[in-house]
Every structure is written in C-alpha cells, then in structure tokens.
Amino acid sequence: AQSVTQPDIHITVSEGASLELRCNYSYGATPYLFWYVQSPGQGLQLLLKYFSGDTLVQGIKGFEAEFKRSQSSFNLRKPSVHWSDAAEYFCAVAPPWGGNTPLVFGKGTRLSVIA
Amino acid sequence: DTAVSQTPKYLVTQMGNDKSIKCEQNLGHDTMYWYKQDSKKFLKIMFSYNNKELIINETVPNRFSPKSPDKAHLNLHINSLELGDSAVYFCASSLSQGSGNTIYFGEGSWLTVV
C-alpha cells in the first residue's frame, strides 16, 4: 500500500534561517507529489506539486521542493523563513495512473519560527 | 471570493445529537470530498463524490451520510454524535476525479462533541 512519511513531527527554526522539511514515500511507481500548508485555524493550501519533468519544483510563498527518485523523497525547502511561515506542513501522494485513489497525506510537520 | 466554503466553522453539540455541515464550491469542479482531521492532525478521506455520484466511501460509520444535491454542494450529516466524532472536518473539491488533480480545501469545520 502506498504511504508517505514525514519523519519530523515538530521543527523550530529562527526567522531568516533556511528550512528543509522531509518527506519520503513508498510507492510502486513515482506518484504525484504535493505539499500543503495549514496555518492555525485554517484549511489546507497547496504550496506546490510534482507530476513529472524538472525535479526541482517552485511553489508559492518562496517554497521549493526537490524530487529525488533514488531516495523516494520530496523535501520542501525555503532559503529564509519568515515568522508567518509557522504552520503545519503536509506532504501528500497520489497514484500516477489516475483513477479514484484518494490523496494520501503524511502526518504533518509542525513548524515553529522563533525570533 | 471563497472557493470552497463550509458552514458552520465551529460547532459544539451534545452526544446523541444529529448535526449537519454544509459545503459549497464555486470553482465549477466535478468532484468533492470530505476529509476528517483528528486531534493528532492526521488527515483521512471519508467520502468522494463526482457529479453527485458517490465514488469513494472509506470505512466510516453509517451514522455519517453525505448528500450531494448538485455537483457544487456536498453536505455531511452526522447522526447520534459520539465523543470520538470530535474533529475538524474539511470539505474539498477538484476539477475531476483523477488522482493528479489538485484538491482545494475549505477552511474546516471544528466539531466538538460534549
């Protein structure tokens, strides 16, 4: 069965520091890959997604993610974190062959930003 | 303009009551979903509808009954509420039912059963 793992439950970074959130997937083929952000008390917003092609994907709010097939990873990065980035981040996967299989989410990584 | 809107945002109710959460999307999408987020923030799909037709029904108690009067609306009715139903319920939509479609989420409905 497909699965997605976010190894870090909680990360704290200083404002202005760089950020990397890890995501690993287990799938028979390269799935569609997504990163969503959930700000406190809000719904989920799509940051970026990878289907194929260039393995470095640019998203909104200055985020990017790199797909590495050899490591089954899709880590999210940001060069300089702002206090407003404090939120819960979810990696998600979907099968590449279409169909009705729903999006499967990781358990999330909570990002705290300190001054 | 809110793309996926759900009401109410907050709901506190007693065990045994019946409650509904309404959802509407103005994106012209064919597919709508209900997701449940538990206290540990874990997100799991409950239902998916495509053009008013049920296509995904995960292992959910039959006290939960989705209803889609048209493809822009997917309401969730819950009978005989239990303490364990306390969670955040997210409505979402996508252009179509294919797995590569981006899913757009509403802001969530915080349900507390006391």
Side-chain angles (χ1 to χ4, degrees):
Chain A
Q2 66 273 20
S3 68
V4 55
T5 303
Q6 294 180 246
D8 304 304
I9 296 174
H10 184 202
I11 284 182
T12 300
V13 300
S14 299
E15 193 169 14
S18 64
L19 169 71
E20 183 168 30
L21 302 181
R22 296 183 290 164
C23 173
N24 293 96
Y25 64 88
S26 172
Y27 229 92
T30 300
Y32 296 139
L33 295 155
F34 304 78
W35 273 101
Y36 282 84
V37 60
Q38 183 181 20
S39 298
Q42 300 295 316
L44 284 82
Q45 181 182 23
L46 180 70
L47 284 175
L48 46 78
K49 61 186 178 184
Y50 173 79
F51 288 177
S52 64
D54 192 345
T55 56
L56 186 62
V57 180
Q58 301 298 319
I60 62 170
K61 304 186 180 188
F63 285 92
E64 65 178 28
E66 186 171 12
F67 167 63
K68 291 186 177 180
R69 186 191 309 273
S70 61
Q71 299 176 17
S72 297
S73 69
F74 188 56
N75 294 348
L76 183 71
R77 301 195 294 245
K78 186 168 185 178
S80 177
V81 168
H82 187 260
W83 64 266
S84 61
D85 293 324
E88 193 87 21
Y89 290 81
F90 293 92
C91 183
V93 300
W97 49 81
N100 298 332
T101 307
L103 206 57
V104 175
F105 285 88
K107 294 190 175 181
T109 298
R110 182 161 60 97
L111 173 66
S112 296
V113 180
I114 56 175
Chain B
D1 290 341
T2 305
V4 181
S5 58
Q6 50 185 113
T7 56
K9 182 157 185 175
Y10 300 101
L11 183 56
V12 181
T13 188
Q14 290 186 325
M15 283 175 55
N17 284 350
D18 303 337
K19 290 294 177 186
S20 293
I21 306 173
K22 295 186 176 182
C23 179
E24 175 182 5
Q25 54 94 3
N26 63 6
L27 297 166
H29 288 170
D30 286 346
T31 306
M32 295 186 72
Y33 312 81
W34 278 107
Y35 278 82
K36 180 180 179 180
Q37 185 175 48
D38 63 24
S39 58
K40 295 184 179 179
K41 300 278 188 179
F42 184 55
L43 272 158
K44 195 166 189 296
I45 191 163
M46 300 172 69
F47 301 103
S48 172
Y49 271 71
N50 187 65
N51 276 321
K52 303 192 300 175
E53 190 176 322
L54 180 66
I55 55 172
I56 293 175
N57 183 352
E58 292 293 301
T59 307
V60 176
N62 57 15
R63 296 183 294 104
F64 290 77
S65 53
K67 285 191 171 47
S68 183
D70 55 63
K71 70 175 191 178
H73 295 83
L74 180 61
N75 303 323
L76 182 65
H77 188 74
I78 316 171
N79 288 327
S80 302
L81 278 155
E82 301 177 357
L83 293 177
D85 297 331
S86 296
V88 185
Y89 293 86
F90 286 100
C91 179
S93 73
S94 63
L95 187 61
S96 67
Q97 60 182 297
S99 61
N101 284 277
T102 298
I103 297 181
Y104 296 84
F105 286 83
E107 294 199 337
S109 294
W110 271 252
L111 173 63
T112 302
V113 183
V114 297

